[in-house]
């Protein structure tokens, strides 16, 4: 746990713009260390804009930021079935089925709020790897946002419709990969995970994932059950939540369709990420 002085120092750094002269020593130290790492030599993007994600995610601790940067590239390299093809076309059917969306407004702490509707995922049409690719695509898009780097994200998983065929898709290998992104392989802070309508069949799957999670993430998991309206509004302003979840914001359909359009509009950037994972030289944007 940070002392009050350390926390205040981080808050000052976190609030500075990317081009602040006070951040330059951190960029220089992280870049210098990264250039010495064999795994990172093929990844030439050590720009300030890229490195700031890892520094903010680890409270400007350069050594921890380097570890996160290494884990990020290792994870992408070791899990190509998820990360090698981030084109929107690979998951468009799932997105068009209103499976996933990102709320237009942030919560009171400035966190991005993501929604996943498991019942809209048909395991006969999409594997768990493709479903998880949706999360990776969204993460790669929102991590570009300075406010999200500073304030992290919270995710709402609506598990209504979860059944045995969903459970069969989650194996220990995938559970470990999912937990890695939540903990030490992606430069975003997970501020909360909220589960709605969780059925008995989901508990064994969560029990598979839980051991891989650090205590701080375990403490941020909230199970709301089927009577979630009151408890969910204790964590999120009702003005940003869809009416389906007790709020007065945009409907779930609007939220999902708007985010799907944004993903489609980001195809050029997603193509660049895909070619980088494949080891090619990305084209200029």
């Amino acid at each position: 746990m940070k002392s009050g002085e350390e926390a205040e120092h981080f808050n000052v750094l976190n609030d500075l713009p990317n081009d602040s002269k006070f951040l330059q020593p951190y960029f220089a130290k992280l870049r210098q260390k990264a250039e010495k790492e064999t795994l990172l030599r093929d990844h030439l993007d050590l720009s300030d804009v890229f490195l700031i994600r890892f520094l903010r995610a680890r409270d400007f601790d350069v050594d921890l930021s380097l570890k996160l940067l290494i884990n990020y590239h290792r994870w992408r390299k070791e899990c190509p079935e998820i990360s090698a093809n981030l084109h929107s076309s690979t998951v468009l059917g799932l997105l068009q089925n209103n499976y996933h969306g990102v709320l237009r407004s942030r919560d009171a702490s400035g966190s991005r709020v993501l929604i996943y509707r498991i019942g809209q995922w048909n395991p006969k049409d999409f594997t768990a790897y493709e479903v998880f690719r949706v999360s990776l695509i969204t993460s790669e898009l929102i991590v570009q946002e300075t406010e999200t780097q500073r304030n992290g994200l919270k995710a709402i998983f609506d598990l209504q419709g979860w059944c045995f065929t969903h459970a069969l898709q989650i194996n220990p290998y995938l559970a470990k990969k999912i937990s890695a992104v939540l903990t030490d392989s992606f430069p975003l802070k997970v501020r909360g995970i909220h589960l709605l309508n969780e059925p008995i069949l989901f508990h064994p799957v969560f029990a598979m994932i839980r051991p891989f999670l650090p205590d701080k993430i375990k403490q941020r998991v909230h199970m709301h059950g089927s009577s979630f309206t009151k408890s969910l509004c204790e964590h999120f302003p009702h003005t940003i939540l869809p009416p389906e979840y007790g709020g007065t914001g945009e409907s779930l359909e609007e939220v999902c369709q708007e985010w799907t359009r944004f993903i489609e509009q980001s195809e050029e950037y997603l193509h660049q990420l895909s070619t980088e994972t494949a080891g090619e030289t990305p084209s200029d944007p």
Side-chain angles (χ1 to χ4, degrees):
M1 182 178 293
K2 295 186 187 66
S3 67
E5 186 176 337
E6 289 173 324
E8 184 178 352
H9 180 66
F10 162 67
N11 289 335
V12 170
L13 292 172
N14 198 33
D15 289 340
L16 291 174
N18 293 2
D19 59 357
S20 169
K21 65 179 182 179
F22 297 105
L23 297 183
Q24 293 308 310
Y26 296 91
F27 291 134
K29 290 177 184 177
L30 180 54
R31 187 176 295 111
Q32 184 180 38
K33 289 176 177 287
E35 287 171 345
K36 296 177 181 178
E37 295 291 333
T38 304
L39 179 64
L40 302 179
R41 285 175 186 165
D42 294 333
H43 303 283
L44 302 179
D45 188 358
L46 295 177
S47 64
D48 292 358
V49 171
F50 185 69
L51 295 181
I52 191 65
R53 306 170 183 182
F54 298 88
L55 288 165
R56 284 198 172 112
R58 289 297 176 265
D59 299 350
F60 289 87
D61 183 311
V62 173
D63 290 331
L64 291 180
S65 300
L66 176 65
K67 182 180 178 181
L68 178 61
L69 179 61
I70 292 170
N71 288 347
Y72 168 80
H73 284 298
R74 180 180 290 126
W75 187 94
R76 291 187 64 184
K77 183 178 181 180
E78 293 178 352
C79 205
E81 59 268 58
I82 296 174
S83 66
N85 185 351
L86 298 181
H87 293 95
S88 59
S89 58
T90 65
V91 292
L92 194 56
L94 189 58
L95 291 169
Q96 290 176 337
N97 203 33
N98 295 333
Y99 162 74
H100 170 58
V102 177
L103 297 188
R104 188 180 301 169
S105 301
R106 298 173 183 273
D107 78 345
S109 65
S111 296
R112 270 292 202 175
V113 182
L114 286 55
I115 294 180
Y116 297 90
R117 304 170 68 204
I118 302 303
Q120 304 304 111
W121 163 32
N122 186 343
K124 294 179 181 178
D125 298 327
F126 292 93
T127 68
Y129 291 100
E130 291 167 314
V131 168
F132 191 54
R133 189 182 302 146
V134 172
S135 297
L136 185 57
I137 287 172
T138 286
S139 296
E140 289 286 7
L141 293 177
I142 65 174
V143 76
Q144 299 177 89
E145 304 166 348
T146 298
E147 284 304 300
T148 306
Q149 293 169 13
R150 289 172 173 158
N151 302 310
L153 66 88
K154 294 174 183 175
I156 297 172
F157 290 88
D158 186 344
L159 294 160
Q160 186 171 18
W162 176 277
C163 61
F164 189 63
T165 53
H166 291 108
L168 287 176
Q169 291 269 352
I170 312 296
N171 55 48
Y173 170 80
L174 184 59
K176 188 173 183 179
K177 291 300 180 184
I178 292 172
S179 64
V181 169
L182 290 173
T183 57
D184 64 359
S185 296
F186 201 90
L188 276 176
K189 292 184 175 182
V190 178
R191 299 297 195 186
I193 299 173
H194 297 262
L195 308 177
L196 315 181
N197 297 309
E198 61 274 19
I200 293 177
L201 274 174
F202 175 73
H203 292 187
V205 172
F206 185 68
M208 194 187 311
I209 298 173
R210 198 173 189 279
F212 298 114
L213 301 176
D215 288 341
K216 67 177 181 180
I217 295 294
K218 291 176 184 175
Q219 293 168 6
R220 294 172 184 172
V221 176
H222 306 272
M223 295 191 177
H224 296 268
S226 57
S227 301
F228 53 77
T229 304
K230 182 179 178 181
S231 60
L232 197 60
C233 286
E234 291 173 359
H235 294 271
F236 300 96
H238 75 278
T239 53
I240 75 170
L241 289 172
E244 295 89 339
Y245 297 147
T248 57
E250 296 83 12
S251 69
L252 277 173
E253 183 176 1
E254 289 176 297
V255 167
C256 294
Q257 289 182 358
E258 184 175 283
W259 191 250
T260 296
R261 287 193 296 272
F262 181 73
I263 288 178
E264 290 181 288
Q265 292 163 5
S266 305
E267 180 59 32
E268 185 175 346
Y269 180 68
L270 295 173
H271 172 72
Q272 181 174 329
L273 288 173
S274 299
T275 54
E276 286 174 352
T277 302
E280 304 171 11
T281 302
S283 57
D284 292 333

